Amino acid sequence: MGKLYKHHLFWPLCILAALLLFNLFYSPDFFSITMHDGHLYGSLIDILNFGAPLILVAIGMTLVVATKGIDLSVGSIVAISGALACLTISKGTDQNALGLIVISILLAVGLSVLLGAWNGLLVSVAGIQPIIATLILMVAGRGIAQLVTGGQIITVSSSKYSYIGSGALATLPFSIFVVVLMLIVALLLTRKTSLGLFIESVGCNPTASLMAGIRANWVILSVYVFCGVCAGIAGLILSSNVSSADGNNAGLWYELDAILAVVIGGTSLNGGRFYLTGTVIGALIIQTLTTTIYMIGVPPEITLVVKSFVVLAVCLIQSDSFRAAIFYRWKTRHYPGEKESIRHVS
Amino acid sequence: MSTQKPILQMKQIHKRFPGVKALSNVNLRLFPGEVHALMGENGAGKSTLIKVLTGVYSIDEGSVEMEEAPISVQSPLESQAAGISTVYQEVNLCPNLTVAENIFIGREPRKFGRILWKEMNKRAQEILSERLNLQIDVTEPLYMYSVAVQQLVAIARALNISAKVLILDEPTSSLDKNEVQQLFRIMEKLKQDGLAILFVTHFLDQMYEISDRVTILRNGEFVGEYMAKDLPRLDLVLKMIGKELNLLEELPSLAEEYKDSLGEELVKADGLGRKGAIEPFDLSIHKGEVVGLAGLLGSGRTEAARLFFGADKPDSGKLIFSGRSEGVHTPREAIGRRIAFCSENRKTEGIIGDLTVRENIILALQAKQGVFRTISRKQQEEYADEYIRMLNINPPSPDHLIKNLSGGNQQKVLLARWLLTSPQLFILDEPTRGIDIGAKAEIQKLVLSLSRQGMSFLFISSELEEVLRVSGRIAILRDRHKVKEISGKDMSQHQIMQAIAGG
């Protein structure tokens, strides 16, 4: 029991379960799933489908955060990638041509790689603090997206393109498969190669990592590139889902939700150990929360306030010192050093 | 003195960590106006005992009494309030604040909420010059000063609180001889003032020089409390180690053997230098040779070693490998040339604190192999087990986080990390600093036996005896110059001292 309680997924899973439990009582049809034209429909499916871009972005963000970095530009990359893909398709004569779709996807992902590399170079080679380095692209990126779309909302009418974001494979939304694929890629990259070890090592102690012969700059560059790619694919899913690209609003505030998902998932902003599965659960918590708020009919003008209160509660529940202060005040006293060491030993 | 009442008394202290019994049944008595040494090997529980006393850790069982009244200290702040001041082993100050700010941080002299900067600077200056005989500009940021000065500032900070008990956790480990003497004069003075000083050290000489009373711990257990003058050296060592040990005596003979039989030249520094760090020097290292670097703190020992490893870039000269001139520009390149470097800054340049012992051991080898040639988990565990056994790493579990190990064991893990890369040249910068005698001897022995198998060493140490014991040749540095090289029969403490002193 003690082991279970200390597992890094314990609190995230509890919170997710609590949210679902709330829905079970408040709106029982939350769990109903119906079959329609070979698609499954229902709130749970919606959460997975609409949550897909966030999960993707958060997976990329996890690796960046593990190197003690942060990427504020993901929201802008989402917008740029979607804009470029839609622009390419809208310029084509036959918008349903498979070749065109593939080219547009490759272009969008390729640009995301470049944008990620830009961030990575600023952080690793130029040595700019990550929050500042990525702030540049966060601001400029919106402008680039505007430039690509020409200030308009580009709409496309391509059934093949919209398959990415709203098509179904084996009755489930196709976007889920994209997310699972990227999650597997990330897990393989970090757990089957030694990239994960190097990321944690660099995030924990960059100087010592360098002295041990790790190419810290390459590690940092690669996580920002990976994060850029994740954001780019998320941009494809988002724009394909609505068959249009909006340079202004696509992926707005995604960076903040993604960072939140990473932190809820148990990865520390101080770098070091990271938990990809935790991040996925964190993103699901955020998406479930958003869906729940819409479902129970919170007036739109205060949804953000409600959301922030729930997020505050989530963060407090996860905080060791807060829990100690509330629940065990009379039992355990405040020994910061010891708590630290016990947490790591177990 | 024996009729005196202890000001602080710890009785039957027990402390457990998950899987580790850190302290069991430990007693400690501190008397006013006495220096009380706390001694023991690495992992004996010295640091844990101090952390328990200062409220960083809780106590499982046992009691603490201050002036015969039980106290329960629950945070470092409370311990300060109770009159217990601590200067930790690693200086815990803010290098980018001024000296005065560091001394007064959190308790600046104020008037109507406004900090009285002039008053603060004046008082900082007074404390430093009157109590510590230190004349420095207190408005300069702390990082401008040497580690030794920083140590004194840390003590000044502790002194400033109305302290009854002063804990000094290995205050001398980064100080040179004169600075140690200066510190001891200060300790004598504080003793006269009636302060009880708890002095943690690894140096036997220092212990005998300054201490009145000594408490010995071994493996978390209380061995005994003795008057320092009644405890012969040999007894002290035996009590600390708990077994017969004449390692240190038998070592010189080992060193003698190989001195004549030099292998081929492995690497040669040709006019290698870096402005502000070390003036251009020549130094060749042969296969299977241990070359010692001796000199005072700041004489350029570490700086020279860093050039060999590519940690700093030289601005003159070059490195020549087996007759061919090829530079080493990064640690990575150096590792590719089978050079290893164990830094003196274990915490900042050595360990990756949040990773396990196993991960720390395989890190350099894995980095050398690259991202994709991953060492399998099974292989990792075999490596870890092998080196844990070979180097006697304690606790012998590869899955502990390295930051929870004692300093000596961290050092051993770092040795394991580098040995695993099978280096040709192993640069050891202060490998035995802050390490107890047993581990020290183990490391020295390891160096000698590996050198006989053909590994070359560049061995840096502040302890002349140690350099003499392991080295076949010694290069001596003074004020960032290489001043002399001695080998064979010329090597003696006297010779080295003369060269260092400039005679």
Side-chain angles (χ1 to χ4, degrees):
Chain A
M1 185 59 208
K3 275 246 161 76
L4 179 73
Y5 173 77
K6 294 215 171 95
H7 193 272
H8 67 268
L9 289 180
F10 178 79
W11 285 109
L13 281 173
C14 275
I15 292 160
L16 187 59
L19 274 173
L20 293 176
L21 208 63
F22 172 81
N23 279 305
L24 184 65
F25 291 112
Y26 201 86
S27 50
D29 56 340
F30 187 87
F31 289 91
S32 72
I33 292 177
T34 53
M35 187 79 151
H36 220 278
D37 296 341
H39 289 208
L40 288 173
Y41 286 97
S43 300
L44 290 179
I45 305 294
D46 281 349
I47 288 172
L48 290 177
N49 194 11
F50 295 133
L54 177 60
I55 299 174
L56 266 182
V57 172
I59 287 172
M61 186 72 79
T62 308
L63 301 190
V64 171
V65 167
T67 62
K68 208 172 186 170
I70 202 159
D71 189 346
L72 295 182
S73 70
V74 284
S76 296
I77 296 179
V78 164
I80 297 172
S81 151
L84 185 65
C86 287
L87 180 76
T88 317
I89 293 169
S90 69
K91 288 270 160 43
T93 42
D94 175 11
Q95 295 203 357
N96 266 324
L98 189 62
L100 182 67
I101 307 289
V102 171
I103 287 173
S104 68
I105 290 173
L106 287 180
L107 273 178
V109 173
L111 183 60
S112 310
V113 169
L114 286 181
L115 294 175
W118 163 261
N119 281 334
L121 286 175
L122 285 186
V123 174
S124 64
V125 177
I128 302 175
Q129 288 187 351
I131 196 163
I132 301 300
T134 57
L135 188 68
I136 295 169
L137 189 57
M138 174 189 177
V139 177
R142 287 284 157 199
I144 296 173
Q146 293 281 334
L147 214 63
V148 173
T149 59
Q152 309 287 314
I153 293 178
I154 301 179
T155 51
V156 294
S157 51
S158 163
S159 61
K160 286 216 173 67
Y161 184 61
S162 65
Y163 182 79
I164 303 173
S166 49
L169 183 69
T171 75
L172 285 170
F174 180 69
S175 56
I176 295 177
F177 294 93
V178 178
V179 168
V180 171
L181 181 75
M182 286 306 285
L183 178 62
I184 290 173
V185 167
L187 284 172
L188 285 179
L189 271 178
T190 54
R191 300 299 178 211
K192 285 294 157 190
T193 75
S194 17
L195 189 61
L197 176 67
F198 292 170
I199 289 173
E200 288 177 342
S201 173
V202 169
C204 183
N205 188 343
T207 318
S209 303
L210 215 60
M211 296 294 260
I214 294 172
R215 278 186 278 218
N217 281 355
W218 281 100
V219 173
I220 290 172
L221 183 66
S222 65
V223 295
Y224 281 94
V225 167
F226 184 78
C227 186
V229 170
C230 285
I233 296 174
L236 291 175
I237 294 176
L238 265 179
S239 68
S240 135
N241 189 278
V242 291
S243 284
S244 67
D246 178 353
N248 254 336
N249 294 314
L252 200 59
W253 310 130
Y254 254 56
E255 55 281 343
L256 301 184
D257 274 351
I259 293 165
L260 191 60
V262 171
V263 173
I264 291 177
T267 304
S268 159
L269 285 176
N270 284 326
R273 292 281 186 213
F274 62 89
Y275 306 100
L276 285 168
T277 42
T279 296
V280 173
I281 292 168
L284 285 176
I285 289 173
I286 294 172
Q287 193 60 42
T288 309
L289 178 61
T290 312
T291 310
T292 306
I293 288 175
Y294 286 130
M295 290 259 308
I296 63 177
V298 173
E301 56 269 29
I302 61 158
T303 49
L304 287 178
V305 177
V306 172
K307 191 174 168 184
S308 59
F309 269 109
V310 178
V311 166
L312 177 66
V314 167
C315 293
L316 286 179
I317 289 172
Q318 291 223 359
S319 151
D320 284 341
S321 5
F322 180 78
R323 280 207 311 272
I326 291 296
F327 300 117
Y328 311 109
R329 176 122 207 129
W330 57 93
K331 268 205 300 200
T332 8
R333 293 295 199 123
H334 199 65
Y335 295 100
E338 178 169 302
K339 203 176 291 155
E340 174 82 342
S341 76
I342 288 176
R343 186 158 63 90
H344 285 289
V345 166
S346 48
Chain B
M1 209 174 258
S2 54
T3 53
Q4 225 177 359
K5 292 237 168 69
I7 185 161
L8 185 119
Q9 195 159 17
M10 298 178 84
K11 286 181 189 160
Q12 276 138 38
I13 304 290
H14 290 257
K15 177 72 201 164
R16 261 166 244 102
F17 284 120
V20 192
K21 209 168 186 190
L23 293 176
S24 64
N25 215 3
V26 173
N27 301 310
L28 181 71
R29 299 191 298 165
L30 298 182
F31 294 84
E34 265 191 29
V35 174
H36 189 127
L38 182 61
M39 301 201 74
E41 290 211 280
N42 288 314
K46 301 181 303 269
S47 300
T48 312
L49 187 65
I50 290 174
K51 283 181 176 165
V52 161
L53 181 56
T54 54
V56 179
Y57 292 163
S58 64
I59 299 175
D60 290 345
E61 277 173 52
S63 64
V64 183
E65 286 172 17
M66 184 80 152
E67 291 168 327
E68 302 197 308
I71 56 167
S72 117
V73 181
Q74 261 134 23
S75 74
L77 224 63
E78 282 184 42
S79 84
Q80 280 187 10
I84 304 171
S85 300
T86 314
V87 178
Y88 290 101
Q89 189 172 359
E90 270 95 15
V91 179
N92 283 320
L93 297 171
C94 310
N96 49 355
L97 296 185
T98 68
V99 172
E101 281 169 329
N102 267 296
I103 295 176
F104 283 98
I105 196 164
R107 51 206 160 82
E108 302 88 349
R110 283 162 195 270
K111 196 176 187 185
F112 305 124
R114 194 179 65 90
I115 295 175
L116 304 170
W117 294 101
K118 273 193 186 150
E119 166 83 8
M120 185 172 97
N121 290 339
K122 204 180 102 214
R123 273 168 53 186
Q125 197 96 49
E126 275 169 18
I127 291 172
L128 286 176
S129 61
E130 281 171 20
R131 301 197 76 170
L132 307 183
N133 303 328
L134 191 66
Q135 299 285 356
I136 57 171
D137 182 355
V138 296
T139 59
E140 290 284 349
L142 188 69
Y143 68 80
M144 302 280 286
Y145 297 103
S146 68
V147 182
V149 171
Q150 294 185 14
Q151 187 88 49
L152 292 178
V153 171
I155 293 173
R157 175 176 162 67
L159 283 181
N160 194 27
I161 306 168
S162 53
K164 294 175 202 148
V165 175
L166 177 65
I167 301 172
L168 300 173
D169 190 1
E170 300 210 25
T172 56
S173 60
S174 48
L175 303 186
D176 69 23
K177 262 209 156 83
N178 287 327
E179 290 163 336
V180 170
Q181 286 312 316
Q182 192 185 352
L183 177 70
F184 282 180
R185 278 199 297 277
I186 291 157
M187 284 168 70
E188 285 289 350
K189 188 155 175 270
L190 296 173
K191 212 168 99 172
Q192 307 299 329
D193 297 348
L195 212 63
I197 301 177
L198 182 63
F199 176 50
V200 183
T201 185
H202 282 303
F203 299 104
L204 302 191
D205 293 337
Q206 294 181 0
M207 192 288 274
Y208 278 110
E209 193 175 339
I210 191 82
S211 305
D212 303 298
R213 202 182 286 267
V214 52
T215 289
I216 300 172
L217 301 182
R218 185 170 70 231
N219 291 330
E221 282 171 26
F222 180 73
V223 176
E225 186 201 89
Y226 311 90
M227 296 309 287
K229 59 179 189 299
D230 301 336
L231 183 68
R233 246 160 216 265
L234 193 62
D235 282 7
L236 172 67
V237 173
L238 288 180
K239 284 182 199 308
M240 279 166 64
I241 296 173
K243 59 186 174 204
E244 294 288 332
L245 193 96
N246 46 4
L247 290 169
L248 293 176
E249 280 75 57
E250 72 185 55
L251 278 169
S253 58
L254 292 172
E256 291 303 322
E257 291 178 28
Y258 74 100
K259 277 175 187 164
D260 309 321
S261 54
L262 273 186
E264 58 191 283
E265 186 179 85
L266 182 70
V267 58
K268 181 168 188 262
D270 186 10
L272 202 64
R274 180 180 159 89
K275 279 209 182 67
I278 175 93
E279 296 299 318
F281 66 96
D282 296 338
L283 183 66
S284 69
I285 300 171
H286 296 259
K287 205 165 178 314
E289 189 185 23
V290 181
V291 177
L293 271 187
L296 294 177
L297 208 72
S299 61
R301 301 174 315 201
T302 300
E303 290 79 358
R306 286 175 70 90
L307 291 181
F308 270 95
F309 192 60
D312 291 326
K313 289 186 183 57
D315 47 23
S316 71
K318 53 191 182 249
L319 278 175
I320 298 169
F321 289 89
S322 345
R324 275 186 305 157
S325 153
E326 278 160 293
V328 166
H329 304 100
T330 60
R332 199 181 159 72
E333 267 182 52
I335 294 165
R337 297 201 171 281
R338 296 177 60 198
I339 300 177
F341 176 59
C342 225
S343 166
E344 64 173 334
N345 299 317
R346 206 179 304 148
K347 214 170 172 183
T348 54
E349 294 180 350
I351 64 166
I352 314 283
D354 280 334
L355 297 188
T356 62
V357 168
R358 169 176 54 80
E359 287 168 321
N360 269 288
I361 287 178
I362 60 125
L363 193 65
L365 181 64
Q366 183 64 70
K368 194 177 171 185
Q369 291 195 356
V371 172
F372 294 105
R373 279 178 60 209
T374 309
I375 305 168
S376 72
R377 178 69 185 240
K378 191 162 157 263
Q379 184 72 57
Q380 291 185 14
E381 270 157 17
E382 280 172 23
Y383 283 144
D385 286 340
E386 182 190 335
Y387 280 96
I388 285 172
R389 231 176 304 121
M390 181 172 135
L391 301 176
N392 257 326
I393 295 170
N394 186 38
S397 146
D399 290 320
H400 270 285
L401 294 186
I402 192 170
K403 67 175 176 192
N404 295 336
L405 268 57
S406 68
N409 283 304
Q410 289 179 352
Q411 185 70 45
K412 288 179 186 173
V413 171
L414 292 179
L415 287 178
R417 174 193 290 175
W418 290 114
L419 289 178
L420 194 55
T421 64
S422 52
Q424 285 180 308
L425 171 62
F426 200 161
I427 305 166
L428 294 170
D429 193 358
E430 297 278 8
T432 61
R433 174 190 287 175
I435 283 187
D436 60 78
I437 303 178
K440 214 174 231 179
E442 277 177 53
I443 288 174
Q444 292 171 4
K445 241 185 164 173
L446 188 75
V447 167
L448 289 175
S449 78
L450 286 171
S451 77
R452 272 187 295 176
Q453 290 164 30
M455 198 182 285
S456 312
F457 285 88
L458 188 60
F459 193 96
I460 303 173
S461 175
S462 304
E463 286 178 57
L464 290 186
E465 294 168 35
E466 185 174 74
V467 179
L468 278 168
R469 199 172 293 132
V470 297
S471 307
R473 191 150 52 87
I474 298 174
I476 300 158
L477 302 175
R478 182 178 71 233
D479 296 338
R480 308 190 187 288
H481 286 81
K482 182 182 159 195
V483 289
K484 202 171 185 185
E485 207 172 288
I486 51 175
S487 62
K489 292 198 172 58
D490 294 341
M491 298 202 313
S492 67
Q493 292 223 26
H494 183 68
Q495 278 281 334
I496 299 177
M497 294 290 227
Q498 263 192 343
I500 289 177

